[in-house]
Amino acid sequence: MDETLLSKAAVYPESEGFDGPNVKGYDFSQGSVDYDALFQSYSTMGFQATNFAAAVSMINNMLEAKSCPFEGYEMPDVRQESGCTIFLGFTSNMISSGVRENIKFIVKENLVDVLVTTCGAIEEDIMKCLAPHQIGRFDYDGKTLRSKGLNRIGNLIVPSKNYELFEAWLMPILNFMHDEQKEKGEIWSPSKMIRLMGERINNEDSVLYWAWKNKIPVFCPAIIDGAVGDVMYFHSYNREGLIMDLTQDIRSINRTAVGAQKTGMIILGGGVIKHHIANANLMRNGTDFSVYINTAQPFDGSDSGATPDEAVSWGKIKHGCKEPVKIHCEATLIFPIIVAQTFAKYHQKLLEKRKTEHD
């Protein structure tokens, strides 16, 4: 038998037909760049570009559902403003970075319904109203930075002085909370405290300010895991006994999911924020729309790296809903573009519709 025939049979097995779009990228030879067409071409680019396009489509589906009126069972003290309740989760480094301004836009324009984040995001949103973070480098020497009172977050620098400003700002609020507890029996939860912080900062650069203004709850189950916790620790030596009730918040976020007509979740990063949103949606047998953006991998069994399909197995994403999306990417690279292709366009359409109705 001809040896080449054996080799060719191995190299060229018989192909079956495959029904899928052809791979094709953007043609820059067409003249001036059409950025909408560029980002739309990502759908046939392949790899994470195709996942990006799927995420844009998924979020636009969320917003389309959100544009419908709420028609479900009304529950008291639960935000039920539209046909889709959107949960936006992000880790603290998103607020450390310039993604803060993207999130602020979304919250200011009332385009999501629930925020879930970590302690660092709470404190740094306030701190940036008091003093700026600055750009540095990833390879700065830690020992040298420590000797100068400079803290590094990746390639960002936060002077220790900024934390002192935050402590001075937060201490009177903790005193007020303690007074309300003693005099009126007020029991605070993390979300109540965060709402008060948003009101007190009274600064339109702040995400928390706009969350307070638009009555968007901000949940932070790890509220003491950062500078907020440091200041509460210092405060406890002057005034003991300030109570923080987490049970109020778990009831609130779970009831928000249960009371929703549909839900969508957009999660930047992993850890507690990812699981807290997913677990709330377990209470309604899963979310209808889901987008993850993170760099974590599934091989270590972590929740951060868990795939959307793993969440389906738990009932946190609905079985049979439109295929959930994960973009394997560092969020500062991609989230601003996602906002441009989704929330910003949706907001512009709302403005045009209101203008037409007004005219």
Side-chain angles (χ1 to χ4, degrees), residues 90-194:
F90 49 91
T91 45
S92 66
N93 54 337
M94 296 297 96
I95 296 296
S96 308
S97 74
V99 170
R100 175 187 183 234
E101 280 62 44
N102 307 151
I103 294 170
K104 182 195 74 175
F105 163 76
I106 293 169
V107 176
K108 178 181 178 181
E109 303 305 335
N110 210 14
L111 300 177
V112 294
D113 301 278
V114 179
L115 301 180
V116 178
T117 191
T118 52
C119 181
I122 303 304
E123 64 213 26
E124 290 184 52
D125 181 64
I126 299 298
M127 286 165 59
K128 282 186 166 185
C129 296
L130 307 174
H133 291 17
Q134 293 162 303
I135 297 291
R137 285 173 44 169
F138 283 99
D139 60 355
Y140 280 159
D141 178 64
K143 182 178 178 181
T144 302
L145 291 176
R146 181 65 177 168
S147 71
K148 295 179 178 181
L150 300 174
N151 305 285
R152 182 171 66 83
I153 305 171
N155 62 347
L156 311 180
I157 298 296
V158 187
S160 292
K161 180 65 178 177
N162 296 16
Y163 286 93
E164 295 179 50
L165 293 172
F166 175 71
E167 179 182 347
W169 182 87
L170 184 58
M171 275 291 186
I173 292 176
L174 295 178
N175 288 339
F176 170 80
M177 291 168 57
H178 197 219
D179 289 342
E180 291 285 293
Q181 177 186 305
K182 290 176 63 177
E183 296 168 10
K184 299 180 181 179
E186 178 70 56
I187 301 299
W188 296 88
S189 68
S191 66
K192 285 182 179 177
M193 176 183 177
I194 293 164

Side-chain angles (χ1 to χ4, degrees), residues 253-304:
I253 191 171
N254 286 357
R255 291 180 74 243
T256 300
V258 170
Q261 185 173 330
K262 291 183 177 180
T263 67
M265 59 185 188
I266 304 166
I267 301 177
L268 313 182
V272 67
I273 59 106
K274 181 171 180 270
H275 185 263
H276 204 56
I277 292 175
N279 199 70
N281 279 277
L282 169 61
M283 302 298 152
R284 65 188 312 278
N285 202 28
T287 188
D288 299 275
F289 309 99
S290 181
V291 172
Y292 296 170
I293 304 173
N294 66 56
T295 57
Q297 301 297 319
F299 58 78
D300 59 1
S302 66
D303 185 77
S304 293

